[in-house]
Amino acid sequence: MSSRLIVLLSGYGSNLQAILDACAAGELPASVVAVISDKADAYGLVRAHNAGITAIHLPKLESESRRDYDARLAEMILTYVPNYIVLAGWMRILTSVFLDHFPNRVINLHPALPGMFPGTHAIQRAYEAFKKNQIGHTGVTVHLVPDEGVDNGPVLASEIVRIQHHDTLESLETRVHEVEHTLLVKTLKTILTTKVTK
């Protein structure tokens, strides 16, 4: 049975593309039923549109609190009856108003190892730490989002990315993103096939 995925993103959407490609190739027993972004100019919406998938821009209104926005977002997503919500470059911290609707069903991707560099600009912060001889590697984590903690939910998978002495920030970003694409798809496949066979 094919699982229904909703992808939330705020930017370029390369991880969305990895998911779409894996679904199209039959690697993931799933389909992306909608892509939602809080940013109108997110290229991920173009990717969704090009793939024939519902692409929705849902901005936060100035008059809206975070919790009110999250309630509106949850209400919209519930109409698609998803099995999982994947945060693939979603730059907003979700409140319990949203998360309580989808227990153990919100999956986040973070470009750092568990407990390291939570929040934004994680790759840049890792690169700067490497330049100061504080670390020798960074990584990628896929984890559940049970609460409002930042990038600290139960870990589903993680992978180390070594930082090379000849790396620039751009080359490190490229390698981290490559690992993101493969690790996210691999982790989703494990979750979906495990659930299906139970």
Side-chain angles (χ1 to χ4, degrees):
M1 194 175 77
S2 182
S3 293
R4 297 168 62 83
L5 306 179
I6 294 274
V7 176
L8 304 187
L9 52 79
S10 299
Y12 188 61
S14 62
N15 284 297
L16 165 65
Q17 193 64 56
I19 293 170
L20 293 176
D21 292 347
C23 290
E27 188 179 347
L28 281 180
S31 59
V32 177
V33 293
V35 174
I36 302 172
S37 178
D38 58 327
K39 305 290 186 189
D41 60 352
Y43 188 69
L45 291 176
V46 177
R47 293 179 189 272
H49 180 75
N50 290 344
I53 293 164
T54 301
I56 301 165
H57 170 222
L58 191 74
K60 179 182 171 295
L61 307 176
E62 281 188 28
S63 60
E64 230 172 5
S65 69
R66 279 177 58 210
R67 293 172 71 81
D68 287 345
Y69 174 81
D70 282 3
R72 190 160 59 96
L73 178 64
E75 196 173 297
M76 173 179 282
I77 288 176
L78 284 166
T79 65
Y80 289 92
V81 197
N83 297 98
Y84 290 95
I85 294 97
V86 182
L87 311 182
W90 177 253
M91 302 309 290
R92 299 185 58 82
I93 297 171
L94 294 165
T95 64
S96 58
V97 171
F98 179 91
L99 295 169
D100 288 352
H101 285 286
F102 310 103
N104 297 313
R105 290 161 59 200
V106 180
I107 298 166
N108 186 46
L109 177 71
H110 183 60
L113 291 174
M116 293 179 69
F117 308 110
T120 59
H121 307 296
I123 302 174
Q124 181 180 337
R125 287 153 59 205
Y127 184 70
E128 289 167 357
F130 173 77
K131 288 295 187 186
K132 296 174 185 172
N133 293 317
Q134 294 171 345
I135 60 171
H137 61 267
T138 184
V140 174
T141 303
V142 182
H143 66 91
L144 290 173
V145 184
D147 54 39
E148 296 176 29
V150 178
D151 300 317
N152 64 353
V155 174
L156 298 170
S158 64
E159 188 171 327
I160 287 173
V161 177
R162 301 279 173 198
I163 305 177
Q164 312 293 343
H165 285 287
H166 56 75
D167 265 326
T168 61
L169 176 57
E170 291 72 24
S171 68
L172 178 61
E173 284 176 337
T174 297
R175 290 193 296 109
V176 169
H177 291 325
E178 286 170 354
V179 172
E180 283 181 343
H181 301 161
T182 55
L183 188 65
L184 179 58
V185 168
K186 188 166 78 173
T187 306
L188 286 172
K189 183 178 181 181
T190 299
I191 292 168
L192 299 179
T193 54
T194 302
K195 293 288 183 186
V196 168
T197 54
K198 276 185 179 176

